[in-house]
PDB file of all heavy atoms in Angstrom:
ATOM      1  N   GLY U 863      12.968   2.769   9.343  1.00  0.00           N
ATOM      2  CA  GLY U 863      14.227   2.864   8.723  1.00  0.00           C
ATOM      3  C   GLY U 863      15.173   1.707   8.914  1.00  0.00           C
ATOM      4  O   GLY U 863      15.042   0.977   9.870  1.00  0.00           O
ATOM      5  N   MET U 864      16.042   1.482   7.991  1.00  0.00           N
ATOM      6  CA  MET U 864      16.918   0.256   8.021  1.00  0.00           C
ATOM      7  C   MET U 864      18.008   0.513   9.073  1.00  0.00           C
ATOM      8  O   MET U 864      18.290  -0.399   9.869  1.00  0.00           O
ATOM      9  CB  MET U 864      17.570   0.023   6.693  1.00  0.00           C
ATOM     10  CG  MET U 864      18.409  -1.228   6.664  1.00  0.00           C
ATOM     11  SD  MET U 864      19.273  -1.520   5.128  1.00  0.00           S
ATOM     12  CE  MET U 864      17.991  -1.831   4.126  1.00  0.00           C
ATOM     13  N   PHE U 865      18.617   1.696   9.141  1.00  0.00           N
ATOM     14  CA  PHE U 865      19.667   1.943  10.033  1.00  0.00           C
ATOM     15  C   PHE U 865      19.170   2.655  11.294  1.00  0.00           C
ATOM     16  O   PHE U 865      19.562   2.240  12.376  1.00  0.00           O
ATOM     17  CB  PHE U 865      20.750   2.818   9.386  1.00  0.00           C
ATOM     18  CG  PHE U 865      21.351   2.179   8.166  1.00  0.00           C
ATOM     19  CD1 PHE U 865      21.096   2.580   6.907  1.00  0.00           C
ATOM     20  CD2 PHE U 865      22.171   1.050   8.291  1.00  0.00           C
ATOM     21  CE1 PHE U 865      21.685   2.011   5.821  1.00  0.00           C
ATOM     22  CE2 PHE U 865      22.675   0.402   7.259  1.00  0.00           C
ATOM     23  CZ  PHE U 865      22.443   0.885   6.022  1.00  0.00           C
ATOM     24  N   ALA U 866      18.306   3.649  11.137  1.00  0.00           N
ATOM     25  CA  ALA U 866      17.720   4.310  12.286  1.00  0.00           C
ATOM     26  C   ALA U 866      16.285   3.740  12.577  1.00  0.00           C
ATOM     27  O   ALA U 866      15.329   4.274  12.202  1.00  0.00           O
ATOM     28  CB  ALA U 866      17.654   5.792  12.024  1.00  0.00           C
ATOM     29  N   THR U 867      16.317   2.567  13.238  1.00  0.00           N
ATOM     30  CA  THR U 867      15.091   1.798  13.435  1.00  0.00           C
ATOM     31  C   THR U 867      14.069   2.518  14.412  1.00  0.00           C
ATOM     32  O   THR U 867      12.938   2.095  14.436  1.00  0.00           O
ATOM     33  CB  THR U 867      15.358   0.415  13.946  1.00  0.00           C
ATOM     34  OG1 THR U 867      16.072   0.535  15.207  1.00  0.00           O
ATOM     35  CG2 THR U 867      16.162  -0.399  12.975  1.00  0.00           C
ATOM     36  N   HIS U 868      14.521   3.539  15.074  1.00  0.00           N
ATOM     37  CA  HIS U 868      13.547   4.261  15.948  1.00  0.00           C
ATOM     38  C   HIS U 868      12.693   5.233  15.141  1.00  0.00           C
ATOM     39  O   HIS U 868      11.602   5.605  15.601  1.00  0.00           O
ATOM     40  CB  HIS U 868      14.335   5.036  17.040  1.00  0.00           C
ATOM     41  CG  HIS U 868      15.351   6.068  16.458  1.00  0.00           C
ATOM     42  ND1 HIS U 868      16.536   5.697  15.999  1.00  0.00           N
ATOM     43  CD2 HIS U 868      15.187   7.394  16.310  1.00  0.00           C
ATOM     44  CE1 HIS U 868      17.110   6.757  15.564  1.00  0.00           C
ATOM     45  NE2 HIS U 868      16.349   7.837  15.794  1.00  0.00           N
ATOM     46  N   GLY U 869      13.157   5.603  14.015  1.00  0.00           N
ATOM     47  CA  GLY U 869      12.397   6.559  13.136  1.00  0.00           C
ATOM     48  C   GLY U 869      11.516   5.734  12.174  1.00  0.00           C
ATOM     49  O   GLY U 869      11.773   4.660  11.821  1.00  0.00           O
ATOM     50  N   SER U 870      10.370   6.489  11.805  1.00  0.00           N
ATOM     51  CA  SER U 870       9.547   5.776  10.863  1.00  0.00           C
ATOM     52  C   SER U 870       8.877   6.828   9.972  1.00  0.00           C
ATOM     53  O   SER U 870       8.989   8.038  10.235  1.00  0.00           O
ATOM     54  CB  SER U 870       8.448   5.022  11.540  1.00  0.00           C
ATOM     55  OG  SER U 870       7.578   5.889  12.293  1.00  0.00           O
ATOM     56  N   ARG U 871       8.403   6.452   8.837  1.00  0.00           N
ATOM     57  CA  ARG U 871       7.762   7.362   7.922  1.00  0.00           C
ATOM     58  C   ARG U 871       6.487   6.615   7.355  1.00  0.00           C
ATOM     59  O   ARG U 871       6.379   5.400   7.549  1.00  0.00           O
ATOM     60  CB  ARG U 871       8.686   7.727   6.822  1.00  0.00           C
ATOM     61  CG  ARG U 871       9.237   6.603   5.956  1.00  0.00           C
ATOM     62  CD  ARG U 871      10.123   7.059   4.797  1.00  0.00           C
ATOM     63  NE  ARG U 871      10.846   5.962   4.214  1.00  0.00           N
ATOM     64  CZ  ARG U 871      10.403   5.080   3.390  1.00  0.00           C
ATOM     65  NH1 ARG U 871       9.151   5.173   2.975  1.00  0.00           N
ATOM     66  NH2 ARG U 871      11.110   4.154   2.851  1.00  0.00           N
ATOM     67  N   ALA U 872       5.698   7.359   6.593  1.00  0.00           N
ATOM     68  CA  ALA U 872       4.554   6.694   5.999  1.00  0.00           C
ATOM     69  C   ALA U 872       5.056   5.704   4.940  1.00  0.00           C
ATOM     70  O   ALA U 872       5.970   5.953   4.243  1.00  0.00           O
ATOM     71  CB  ALA U 872       3.616   7.701   5.318  1.00  0.00           C
ATOM     72  N   CYS U 873       4.332   4.603   4.797  1.00  0.00           N
ATOM     73  CA  CYS U 873       4.714   3.558   3.875  1.00  0.00           C
ATOM     74  C   CYS U 873       4.528   4.142   2.442  1.00  0.00           C
ATOM     75  O   CYS U 873       3.476   4.738   2.112  1.00  0.00           O
ATOM     76  CB  CYS U 873       3.776   2.385   4.008  1.00  0.00           C
ATOM     77  SG  CYS U 873       4.049   1.036   2.850  1.00  0.00           S
ATOM     78  N   ALA U 874       5.437   3.907   1.513  1.00  0.00           N
ATOM     79  CA  ALA U 874       5.382   4.397   0.172  1.00  0.00           C
ATOM     80  C   ALA U 874       4.383   3.691  -0.647  1.00  0.00           C
ATOM     81  O   ALA U 874       3.779   4.183  -1.564  1.00  0.00           O
ATOM     82  CB  ALA U 874       6.783   4.354  -0.440  1.00  0.00           C
ATOM     83  N   ASN U 875       4.140   2.392  -0.314  1.00  0.00           N
ATOM     84  CA  ASN U 875       3.152   1.602  -1.106  1.00  0.00           C
ATOM     85  C   ASN U 875       1.701   1.940  -0.818  1.00  0.00           C
ATOM     86  O   ASN U 875       0.990   2.088  -1.777  1.00  0.00           O
ATOM     87  CB  ASN U 875       3.437   0.125  -0.857  1.00  0.00           C
ATOM     88  CG  ASN U 875       2.695  -0.764  -1.740  1.00  0.00           C
ATOM     89  OD1 ASN U 875       2.581  -0.487  -2.928  1.00  0.00           O
ATOM     90  ND2 ASN U 875       2.277  -1.910  -1.243  1.00  0.00           N
ATOM     91  N   CYS U 876       1.387   2.115   0.390  1.00  0.00           N
ATOM     92  CA  CYS U 876      -0.023   2.388   0.747  1.00  0.00           C
ATOM     93  C   CYS U 876      -0.259   3.834   1.159  1.00  0.00           C
ATOM     94  O   CYS U 876      -1.415   4.256   1.403  1.00  0.00           O
ATOM     95  CB  CYS U 876      -0.516   1.467   1.854  1.00  0.00           C
ATOM     96  SG  CYS U 876       0.368   1.666   3.446  1.00  0.00           S
ATOM     97  N   GLY U 877       0.769   4.592   1.245  1.00  0.00           N
ATOM     98  CA  GLY U 877       0.559   6.036   1.564  1.00  0.00           C
ATOM     99  C   GLY U 877       0.204   6.256   2.985  1.00  0.00           C
ATOM    100  O   GLY U 877      -0.329   7.247   3.384  1.00  0.00           O
ATOM    101  N   GLY U 878       0.502   5.306   3.868  1.00  0.00           N
ATOM    102  CA  GLY U 878       0.139   5.310   5.311  1.00  0.00           C
ATOM    103  C   GLY U 878      -1.238   4.927   5.698  1.00  0.00           C
ATOM    104  O   GLY U 878      -1.673   4.881   6.798  1.00  0.00           O
ATOM    105  N   SER U 879      -1.999   4.453   4.686  1.00  0.00           N
ATOM    106  CA  SER U 879      -3.375   3.930   5.030  1.00  0.00           C
ATOM    107  C   SER U 879      -3.401   2.535   5.498  1.00  0.00           C
ATOM    108  O   SER U 879      -4.421   2.079   5.985  1.00  0.00           O
ATOM    109  CB  SER U 879      -4.292   4.066   3.759  1.00  0.00           C
ATOM    110  OG  SER U 879      -3.856   3.143   2.775  1.00  0.00           O
ATOM    111  N   SER U 880      -2.370   1.764   5.314  1.00  0.00           N
ATOM    112  CA  SER U 880      -2.182   0.365   5.674  1.00  0.00           C
ATOM    113  C   SER U 880      -3.049  -0.618   4.831  1.00  0.00           C
ATOM    114  O   SER U 880      -3.069  -1.799   5.081  1.00  0.00           O
ATOM    115  CB  SER U 880      -2.482   0.095   7.136  1.00  0.00           C
ATOM    116  OG  SER U 880      -3.827   0.148   7.469  1.00  0.00           O
ATOM    117  N   ARG U 881      -3.697  -0.086   3.793  1.00  0.00           N
ATOM    118  CA  ARG U 881      -4.559  -0.958   2.977  1.00  0.00           C
ATOM    119  C   ARG U 881      -4.301  -0.621   1.526  1.00  0.00           C
ATOM    120  O   ARG U 881      -4.122   0.516   1.087  1.00  0.00           O
ATOM    121  CB  ARG U 881      -6.071  -0.661   3.264  1.00  0.00           C
ATOM    122  CG  ARG U 881      -6.326  -1.021   4.675  1.00  0.00           C
ATOM    123  CD  ARG U 881      -7.626  -0.359   5.162  1.00  0.00           C
ATOM    124  NE  ARG U 881      -8.701  -0.558   4.240  1.00  0.00           N
ATOM    125  CZ  ARG U 881      -9.787  -1.347   4.524  1.00  0.00           C
ATOM    126  NH1 ARG U 881      -9.946  -1.806   5.730  1.00  0.00           N
ATOM    127  NH2 ARG U 881     -10.823  -1.464   3.636  1.00  0.00           N
ATOM    128  N   VAL U 882      -4.328  -1.651   0.732  1.00  0.00           N
ATOM    129  CA  VAL U 882      -4.119  -1.571  -0.756  1.00  0.00           C
ATOM    130  C   VAL U 882      -5.323  -2.313  -1.419  1.00  0.00           C
ATOM    131  O   VAL U 882      -5.812  -3.247  -0.894  1.00  0.00           O
ATOM    132  CB  VAL U 882      -2.827  -2.025  -1.254  1.00  0.00           C
ATOM    133  CG1 VAL U 882      -1.645  -1.187  -0.683  1.00  0.00           C
ATOM    134  CG2 VAL U 882      -2.580  -3.502  -0.833  1.00  0.00           C
ATOM    135  N   PRO U 883      -5.601  -1.927  -2.592  1.00  0.00           N
ATOM    136  CA  PRO U 883      -6.732  -2.641  -3.355  1.00  0.00           C
ATOM    137  C   PRO U 883      -6.282  -4.064  -3.700  1.00  0.00           C
ATOM    138  O   PRO U 883      -5.131  -4.282  -4.054  1.00  0.00           O
ATOM    139  CB  PRO U 883      -6.900  -1.819  -4.618  1.00  0.00           C
ATOM    140  CG  PRO U 883      -6.274  -0.557  -4.417  1.00  0.00           C
ATOM    141  CD  PRO U 883      -5.205  -0.692  -3.450  1.00  0.00           C
ATOM    142  N   ARG U 884      -7.171  -4.993  -3.652  1.00  0.00           N
ATOM    143  CA  ARG U 884      -6.935  -6.371  -4.038  1.00  0.00           C
ATOM    144  C   ARG U 884      -6.705  -6.450  -5.590  1.00  0.00           C
ATOM    145  O   ARG U 884      -7.094  -5.572  -6.317  1.00  0.00           O
ATOM    146  CB  ARG U 884      -8.099  -7.226  -3.668  1.00  0.00           C
ATOM    147  CG  ARG U 884      -8.183  -7.414  -2.193  1.00  0.00           C
ATOM    148  CD  ARG U 884      -9.492  -8.113  -1.746  1.00  0.00           C
ATOM    149  NE  ARG U 884      -9.744  -9.348  -2.393  1.00  0.00           N
ATOM    150  CZ  ARG U 884     -10.852 -10.080  -2.319  1.00  0.00           C
ATOM    151  NH1 ARG U 884     -11.822  -9.619  -1.564  1.00  0.00           N
ATOM    152  NH2 ARG U 884     -11.066 -11.206  -2.930  1.00  0.00           N
ATOM    153  N   LEU U 885      -6.037  -7.531  -5.975  1.00  0.00           N
ATOM    154  CA  LEU U 885      -5.734  -7.723  -7.373  1.00  0.00           C
ATOM    155  C   LEU U 885      -7.004  -7.724  -8.256  1.00  0.00           C
ATOM    156  O   LEU U 885      -6.989  -7.073  -9.324  1.00  0.00           O
ATOM    157  CB  LEU U 885      -4.962  -9.025  -7.554  1.00  0.00           C
ATOM    158  CG  LEU U 885      -4.670  -9.400  -9.034  1.00  0.00           C
ATOM    159  CD1 LEU U 885      -3.744  -8.414  -9.645  1.00  0.00           C
ATOM    160  CD2 LEU U 885      -4.151 -10.849  -9.116  1.00  0.00           C
ATOM    161  N   GLY U 886      -8.048  -8.343  -7.879  1.00  0.00           N
ATOM    162  CA  GLY U 886      -9.290  -8.313  -8.624  1.00  0.00           C
ATOM    163  C   GLY U 886      -9.927  -6.955  -8.820  1.00  0.00           C
ATOM    164  O   GLY U 886     -10.502  -6.657  -9.818  1.00  0.00           O
ATOM    165  N   VAL U 887      -9.701  -6.040  -7.788  1.00  0.00           N
ATOM    166  CA  VAL U 887     -10.231  -4.730  -7.913  1.00  0.00           C
ATOM    167  C   VAL U 887      -9.555  -4.002  -9.025  1.00  0.00           C
ATOM    168  O   VAL U 887     -10.175  -3.307  -9.828  1.00  0.00           O
ATOM    169  CB  VAL U 887     -10.016  -3.992  -6.538  1.00  0.00           C
ATOM    170  CG1 VAL U 887     -10.299  -2.504  -6.737  1.00  0.00           C
ATOM    171  CG2 VAL U 887     -10.871  -4.550  -5.458  1.00  0.00           C
ATOM    172  N   ARG U 888      -8.282  -4.195  -9.214  1.00  0.00           N
ATOM    173  CA  ARG U 888      -7.535  -3.542 -10.251  1.00  0.00           C
ATOM    174  C   ARG U 888      -7.965  -4.074 -11.656  1.00  0.00           C
ATOM    175  O   ARG U 888      -7.912  -3.370 -12.685  1.00  0.00           O
ATOM    176  CB  ARG U 888      -6.086  -3.756 -10.091  1.00  0.00           C
ATOM    177  CG  ARG U 888      -5.486  -3.130  -8.838  1.00  0.00           C
ATOM    178  CD  ARG U 888      -4.031  -3.326  -8.663  1.00  0.00           C
ATOM    179  NE  ARG U 888      -3.702  -3.336  -7.250  1.00  0.00           N
ATOM    180  CZ  ARG U 888      -2.919  -4.168  -6.571  1.00  0.00           C
ATOM    181  NH1 ARG U 888      -2.268  -5.093  -7.273  1.00  0.00           N
ATOM    182  NH2 ARG U 888      -2.682  -4.010  -5.322  1.00  0.00           N
ATOM    183  N   LEU U 889      -8.356  -5.307 -11.649  1.00  0.00           N
ATOM    184  CA  LEU U 889      -8.753  -5.914 -12.943  1.00  0.00           C
ATOM    185  C   LEU U 889     -10.262  -5.791 -13.318  1.00  0.00           C
ATOM    186  O   LEU U 889     -10.521  -5.581 -14.457  1.00  0.00           O
ATOM    187  CB  LEU U 889      -8.385  -7.472 -12.932  1.00  0.00           C
ATOM    188  CG  LEU U 889      -6.912  -7.774 -12.852  1.00  0.00           C
ATOM    189  CD1 LEU U 889      -6.713  -9.308 -12.683  1.00  0.00           C
ATOM    190  CD2 LEU U 889      -6.124  -7.236 -13.967  1.00  0.00           C
ATOM    191  N   PHE U 890     -11.100  -5.990 -12.345  1.00  0.00           N
ATOM    192  CA  PHE U 890     -12.528  -6.115 -12.664  1.00  0.00           C
ATOM    193  C   PHE U 890     -13.420  -4.896 -12.249  1.00  0.00           C
ATOM    194  O   PHE U 890     -14.502  -4.765 -12.764  1.00  0.00           O
ATOM    195  CB  PHE U 890     -13.095  -7.370 -11.982  1.00  0.00           C
ATOM    196  CG  PHE U 890     -12.489  -8.642 -12.415  1.00  0.00           C
ATOM    197  CD1 PHE U 890     -11.811  -9.427 -11.493  1.00  0.00           C
ATOM    198  CD2 PHE U 890     -12.393  -8.913 -13.788  1.00  0.00           C
ATOM    199  CE1 PHE U 890     -11.227 -10.600 -11.891  1.00  0.00           C
ATOM    200  CE2 PHE U 890     -11.772 -10.112 -14.191  1.00  0.00           C
ATOM    201  CZ  PHE U 890     -11.174 -10.942 -13.291  1.00  0.00           C
ATOM    202  N   LEU U 891     -13.009  -4.148 -11.288  1.00  0.00           N
ATOM    203  CA  LEU U 891     -13.748  -3.039 -10.823  1.00  0.00           C
ATOM    204  C   LEU U 891     -13.087  -1.659 -11.163  1.00  0.00           C
ATOM    205  O   LEU U 891     -11.960  -1.614 -11.397  1.00  0.00           O
ATOM    206  CB  LEU U 891     -13.971  -3.162  -9.272  1.00  0.00           C
ATOM    207  CG  LEU U 891     -14.658  -4.393  -8.744  1.00  0.00           C
ATOM    208  CD1 LEU U 891     -14.732  -4.323  -7.292  1.00  0.00           C
ATOM    209  CD2 LEU U 891     -16.083  -4.576  -9.317  1.00  0.00           C
ATOM    210  N   ASN U 892     -13.875  -0.597 -11.122  1.00  0.00           N
ATOM    211  CA  ASN U 892     -13.417   0.681 -11.329  1.00  0.00           C
ATOM    212  C   ASN U 892     -12.694   1.235 -10.046  1.00  0.00           C
ATOM    213  O   ASN U 892     -13.338   1.560  -9.087  1.00  0.00           O
ATOM    214  CB  ASN U 892     -14.540   1.653 -11.698  1.00  0.00           C
ATOM    215  CG  ASN U 892     -14.049   3.030 -12.112  1.00  0.00           C
ATOM    216  OD1 ASN U 892     -12.864   3.266 -12.101  1.00  0.00           O
ATOM    217  ND2 ASN U 892     -14.928   3.855 -12.412  1.00  0.00           N
ATOM    218  N   GLN U 893     -11.350   1.178 -10.071  1.00  0.00           N
ATOM    219  CA  GLN U 893     -10.583   1.511  -8.920  1.00  0.00           C
ATOM    220  C   GLN U 893     -10.784   2.978  -8.489  1.00  0.00           C
ATOM    221  O   GLN U 893     -10.613   3.286  -7.317  1.00  0.00           O
ATOM    222  CB  GLN U 893      -9.155   1.207  -9.099  1.00  0.00           C
ATOM    223  CG  GLN U 893      -8.223   1.313  -7.861  1.00  0.00           C
ATOM    224  CD  GLN U 893      -6.853   0.849  -8.146  1.00  0.00           C
ATOM    225  OE1 GLN U 893      -6.525   0.406  -9.231  1.00  0.00           O
ATOM    226  NE2 GLN U 893      -5.952   1.120  -7.226  1.00  0.00           N
ATOM    227  N   SER U 894     -11.066   3.833  -9.425  1.00  0.00           N
ATOM    228  CA  SER U 894     -11.147   5.289  -9.052  1.00  0.00           C
ATOM    229  C   SER U 894     -12.326   5.591  -8.171  1.00  0.00           C
ATOM    230  O   SER U 894     -12.357   6.617  -7.442  1.00  0.00           O
ATOM    231  CB  SER U 894     -11.257   6.149 -10.331  1.00  0.00           C
ATOM    232  OG  SER U 894     -12.405   5.802 -11.039  1.00  0.00           O
TER     233      SER U 894
END
């Protein structure tokens, strides 16, 4: 959190997995 830095939540971008697909995966491979 920005104000309560002791608290945390799952990342909204990766959903808590800490990994996201690379750009080429989105363009050239079946992401599903």
Side-chain angles (χ1 to χ4, degrees):
M864 183 184 294
F865 298 111
T867 57
H868 61 279
S870 65
R871 60 177 167 80
C873 176
N875 190 35
C876 64
S879 69
S880 74
R881 299 162 51 115
V882 293
R884 290 169 55 189
L885 175 65
V887 170
R888 296 178 207 141
L889 295 176
F890 302 122
L891 300 178
N892 186 0
Q893 187 176 354
S894 64

